[in-house]
Amino acid sequence: METCRIMTDDTQPDYSQWRAETIALRAAQHRTAEGEHSEAIFPTSSFVFDGAEEAAARFSGGDVNDNVYSRFSNPTVRAFQQRLAALEGGEACIATSSGMAAIMTLCLGVLKQGDHLLAAQGLFGSTTAMLTRYLPRWGIDVELVPLDDTDAWRAAMRPNTRMLMIETPTNPTMTVADIAALSDIAHEGDAILAVDNCFCTPVLQQPLALGADVVIHSATKYLDGQGRCVGGAVVGRRELVDTELYSFMRSFGASMSPFNAWVFLKGLETLPLRMRQHAENAASLAAWMGEQSGIEKVIYPGLESHPQHELVARQQRAPGGMVSFVVAGGRAAAWRVIDRVKLMSITGNLGDARTTITHPASTTHARLSDAQRAEAGIVEGLIRVSVGLEHVEDIKDDLAQAISGG
Ligand SMILES: Cc1ncc(COP(=O)(O)O)c(C=O)c1O
């Protein structure tokens, strides 16, 4: 695995000599005088000062490394931020209460009335809802563009376009965007490119190294990896994250709790190991699914049938842990398969060590209009499997009996 690109700051050593596996375990360890091996949790709402003068200085200083009040400064949350920034090869990170809070913090922290936002069609359902239903209320003009049509992105740029937002691969149809090409388009127009890296994580894809300006995460997914906590993060340049977004967080307060930050820190420790196994299991499952009857289509970025197979090989270190497939017979048939699984969990979450199965059209993407779902390719027969770390033959056995009817 190649070495991550790391920026140094005043408080963190240069991690660039380490590979992702080492960064995941060793970056941002701030040991207290107790000598603990695992990181301490700091469950405190506020911090005390030596005197009034120090209190005044910390309150007015705006230094992200000062402990003031846990809405915007907490050592456990900071450790998670530093470790994730190091993994993504970014300068700075701000942790949020959820993935949606990360997207909100980025959009409202950066955009203003009169700005134009270009976002991909087929983004996660709640992201599309936030962008198309709520941002226009604040005078932000939002336009949706087909993710994989680079010419359409170029044509849609306007003088007031401030941000391009994509997810790659998308949830759940696994369309892939050319990050380097879109970053060129964004920068030619003085805009920034934001990439939701939820499906790949920095282990399989580093958008910043490909030219993106900002990475968004739902930490709820693979970063946690065991389905325990909801959280999110934005990683990017210090001048954006540690000033505009930090100040936005201080005022709007969609912050991550220290307990959750500690769980995510533990999750990051095994992320490289888990992502490799998720991807290996998913590739095996996708190949096997293609041989089953009653399946109209298998969607996996690692299959040669995937229209952007070559781009995936260029841009990602592995195709990832998600497999979608379309069963013949629409919603009724898809629900029948889901109702028959015995091993997998029927739940909306993904990126868990346990395999999960979801019917996107009636759950995660139910809030989209019929037209938005059609545009995104979320048909009624589509089922999404987040392939877990069980033995892959057990996962296949479970799906085989669910597809065949027992
Ligand atoms: C790609 C993607 N982005 C963002 C989110 C939102 O994250 P959260 O549920 O942590 O708010 C999700 C949730 O499923 C997602 O799949």
Side-chain angles (χ1 to χ4, degrees):
M1 181 156 298
E2 69 199 58
T3 307
C4 292
R5 182 173 56 93
I6 310 292
M7 307 294 180
T8 50
D9 68 22
D10 295 342
T11 56
Q12 286 293 290
D14 177 4
Y15 297 118
S16 58
Q17 79 280 15
W18 287 345
R19 287 137 185 101
E21 290 80 355
T22 313
I23 294 171
L25 282 159
R26 294 280 175 182
Q29 277 203 321
H30 302 285
R31 200 159 284 154
T32 74
E34 299 295 339
E36 70 281 354
H37 192 203
S38 179
E39 296 79 359
I41 311 182
F42 292 91
T44 177
S45 44
S46 68
F47 297 84
V48 293
F49 312 107
D50 285 343
E53 193 180 347
E54 192 197 18
R58 288 229 208 138
F59 264 86
S60 62
D63 183 335
V64 294
N65 295 310
D66 275 351
N67 294 328
V68 182
Y69 186 73
S70 286
R71 182 179 347 104
F72 53 94
S73 54
N74 178 280
T76 319
V77 176
R78 195 176 300 120
F80 166 72
Q81 292 174 161
Q82 289 171 343
R83 191 172 293 173
L84 182 59
L87 280 166
E88 284 287 2
E91 290 177 352
C93 168
I94 192 146
T96 56
S97 53
S98 67
M100 293 318 303
I103 297 169
M104 176 197 74
T105 300
L106 176 67
C107 289
L108 298 186
V110 167
L111 299 172
K112 59 179 190 323
Q113 189 180 12
D115 282 345
H116 178 230
L117 167 70
L118 284 180
Q121 284 172 3
L123 290 175
F124 172 60
S126 295
T127 308
T128 303
M130 183 200 294
L131 302 187
T132 58
R133 286 189 208 163
Y134 295 98
L135 290 196
R137 290 189 192 175
W138 290 294
I140 297 160
D141 199 1
V142 178
E143 203 177 327
L144 303 183
V145 184
L147 179 74
D148 51 355
D149 185 347
T150 308
D151 292 339
W153 287 89
R154 188 172 286 107
M157 290 292 287
R158 293 191 208 153
N160 60 338
T161 307
R162 278 271 346 255
M163 194 193 297
L164 280 63
M165 185 180 290
I166 61 169
E167 224 173 78
T168 181
T170 52
N171 176 9
T173 49
M174 253 75 85
T175 310
V176 174
D178 187 334
I179 297 176
L182 291 184
S183 91
D184 286 346
I185 293 171
H187 297 157
E188 278 159 27
D190 227 7
I192 61 169
L193 174 66
V195 179
D196 185 328
N197 203 20
C198 175
F199 268 33
C200 278
T201 82
V203 175
L204 302 187
Q205 170 174 278
Q206 283 184 300
L208 300 178
L210 295 164
D213 301 277
V214 177
V215 170
I216 304 159
H217 271 289
S218 167
T220 319
K221 309 294 178 325
Y222 288 110
L223 303 191
D224 173 352
Q226 294 178 53
R228 297 163 293 191
C229 293
V230 173
V234 183
V235 181
R237 276 193 296 277
R238 189 173 311 287
E239 80 241 25
L240 172 73
V241 176
D242 282 354
T243 54
E244 289 182 58
L245 301 188
Y246 172 75
S247 155
F248 181 85
M249 178 64 76
R250 193 168 172 166
S251 304
F252 283 73
S255 33
M256 179 179 280
S257 84
F259 286 105
N260 288 2
W262 188 85
V263 172
F264 293 131
L265 267 174
K266 297 296 105 184
L268 288 184
E269 290 181 357
T270 55
L271 185 66
L273 198 62
R274 286 187 284 108
M275 290 314 294
R276 274 199 296 275
Q277 192 60 45
H278 280 297
E280 193 180 311
N281 283 2
S284 171
L285 185 73
W288 172 86
M289 295 239 33
E291 296 158 4
Q292 308 309 303
S293 56
I295 308 292
E296 286 184 344
K297 187 176 175 188
V298 182
I299 311 172
Y300 182 62
L303 292 177
E304 272 175 33
S305 58
H306 191 284
Q308 294 153 301
H309 181 61
E310 282 170 22
L311 173 61
V312 172
R314 209 167 60 234
Q315 182 166 277
Q316 298 178 205
R317 294 191 183 113
M322 307 292 301
V323 178
S324 291
F325 59 97
V326 180
V327 291
R331 176 178 294 209
W335 280 20
R336 263 198 307 277
V337 170
I338 291 173
D339 286 345
R340 284 191 203 119
V341 296
K342 294 183 177 144
L343 179 74
M344 300 182 194
S345 312
I346 305 170
T347 178
N349 200 24
L350 62 92
D352 196 299
R354 298 180 182 91
T355 299
T356 64
I357 187 163
T358 308
H359 182 247
S362 59
T363 60
T364 52
H365 292 69
R367 293 169 76 199
L368 299 190
S369 66
D370 291 347
Q372 283 172 329
R373 262 197 305 280
E375 257 168 18
I378 301 169
V379 295
E380 290 291 338
L382 183 80
I383 294 175
R384 184 195 75 192
V385 175
S386 169
V387 185
L389 305 179
E390 301 95 342
H391 198 289
V392 69
E393 298 306 322
D394 292 330
I395 301 171
K396 290 177 191 169
D397 287 349
D398 193 28
L399 261 184
Q401 62 82 26
I403 293 166
S404 69

